[in-house]
Amino acid sequence: MACETLIVETHGAVGLIRLNRPQALNALNSTVLAELRQAYSAFHADDAIGAIVLTGSEKAFAAGADIKEMQPLDFADVYMGDFIGGWDEIARARKPVIAAVSGFALGGGCELAMMCDFIIAADTAKFGQPEITLGVIPGMGGSQRLTRAVGKAKAMDMVLTGRMMDAAEAERSGLVSRIVPADKLVDEALATAAKIASLSRPSVLMAKEAVNRALETTLEEGLRFERRLFHSLFATEDQKEGMAAFIEKRKPVFKNR
Ligand code: CAA
């Protein structure tokens, strides 16, 4: 896929997408969104791909929505055009997506990282929602996903002051799953994604659905949802194979069926 703002590669069963607008610290403009939607859609249509890694550069995962693109817009432009509404499609990806974050993940950059299933951070990562300093507020989910990730106190602190969190604070707060040295970031994320891609696809997709449901429903409904998904996996060949392989002390051969 030829892209202006992304570098798209496959590494075995893993799709790797690098945001690539170095001149703007990977600021997210409408071209980035259009190309990201295309890349996601191609990886979702490709049965050989089991997981996706989304990363940026060493200096910036992404420094936010593109301020130069937004500055001249007025209310009618953004409301009638559903400005940035298209990012919801990125958040609805069915296959697992890992954000590998080095450097700045600010505003829409932090929000994009939070749309992924989990974040692996380089020790150089910095997260923030600085929209308030521009006279607006987060618009791609920051006030909602950050609050669910780190709780009200830290989310209010970040969203009201625009201050940044370093990688250690982000890990302590539950925003990132782990921190790795910056020079190992993409390799670690690719290895993690490869592990996920090697597992039974139906169980991986359902595991993702089940965890996401925890953020959207009551405990009782969530437990019922989980139990039904668990039951349904007994209709797959991979459940028979996975359990037989354990008993026979061998590696399972999953068919994703
Ligand atoms: N949009 C457009 N361009 C951006 C940008 C952004 N979000 N962030 C950085 N750039 C551009 C700069 O304008 C600069 O371009 P020029 O060389 O043409 O001037 C280039 O990237 C390099 O940036 P800096 O010179 O500022 O680099 P720095 O190392 O001195 O500072 C930074 C880095 C602290 C990240 C700083 O660039 C910065 O504060 N960026 C803006 C962060 C921000 O406010 N993000 C929120 C955007 S609003 C949003 O995202 C809304 C939403 O929720 C949907």
Side-chain angles (χ1 to χ4, degrees):
M1 187 182 141
C3 288
E4 190 188 313
T5 65
L6 308 178
I7 298 170
V8 181
E9 300 167 357
T10 55
H11 292 251
V14 177
L16 173 66
I17 303 173
R18 291 176 193 271
L19 301 168
N20 185 38
R21 286 190 76 206
Q23 73 286 6
L25 301 183
N26 293 333
L28 306 169
N29 64 6
S30 40
T31 309
V32 177
L33 173 58
E35 293 186 343
L36 213 43
R37 285 166 88 166
Q38 244 185 305
Y40 269 46
S41 151
F43 281 145
H44 278 81
D46 184 348
D47 281 345
I49 296 295
I52 297 167
V53 171
L54 179 61
T55 195
S57 67
E58 212 178 307
K59 179 161 184 194
F61 176 75
D66 191 310
I67 300 169
K68 292 168 189 165
E69 187 180 73
M70 279 185 295
Q71 195 276 337
L73 303 179
D74 66 18
F75 173 75
D77 294 328
V78 295
Y79 181 68
M80 300 311 290
D82 192 24
F83 181 62
I84 65 178
W87 288 96
D88 293 346
E89 191 183 314
I90 299 297
R92 280 197 298 267
R94 283 193 87 206
K95 290 182 182 175
V97 186
I98 301 173
V101 174
S102 178
F104 297 111
L106 302 178
C110 185
E111 293 167 307
L112 175 57
M114 291 190 292
M115 287 176 205
C116 301
D117 296 307
F118 60 97
I119 301 172
I120 300 181
D123 44 14
T124 57
K126 286 191 186 307
F127 298 87
Q129 296 292 161
E131 291 89 344
I132 201 82
T133 65
L134 301 169
V136 288
I137 67 169
M140 282 163 54
S143 66
Q144 307 302 300
R145 292 198 178 92
L146 187 66
T147 307
R148 280 166 168 77
V150 305
K152 180 183 166 186
K154 283 227 184 258
M156 280 291 188
D157 180 1
M158 309 264 303
V159 170
L160 289 178
T161 68
R163 82 165 173 90
M164 293 185 212
M165 242 188 209
D166 64 14
E169 185 180 3
E171 187 187 33
R172 234 178 18 251
S173 312
L175 179 60
V176 311
S177 69
R178 53 183 125 129
I179 302 176
V180 299
D183 60 348
K184 304 261 179 337
L185 176 68
V186 174
D187 286 347
E188 287 280 340
L190 286 174
T192 306
K195 166 77 191 179
I196 295 169
S198 75
L199 302 171
S200 167
R201 191 82 45 83
S203 60
V204 165
L205 297 185
M206 287 196 198
K208 171 170 170 163
E209 271 194 272
V211 173
N212 280 333
R213 187 57 73 95
L215 297 171
E216 287 160 11
T217 191
T218 61
L219 180 59
E220 198 177 328
E221 282 307 315
L223 290 171
R224 193 192 319 277
F225 183 73
E226 178 195 77
R227 190 74 39 83
R228 293 295 171 259
L229 293 182
F230 177 75
H231 289 159
S232 72
L233 285 168
F234 285 73
T236 63
E237 291 177 33
D238 284 351
Q239 173 267 332
K240 300 286 172 295
E241 168 63 10
M243 294 190 181
F246 175 81
I247 293 163
E248 292 160 15
K249 300 188 189 303
R250 60 175 174 83
K251 275 195 164 359
V253 181
F254 290 126
K255 294 186 184 148
N256 298 333
R257 304 195 68 83

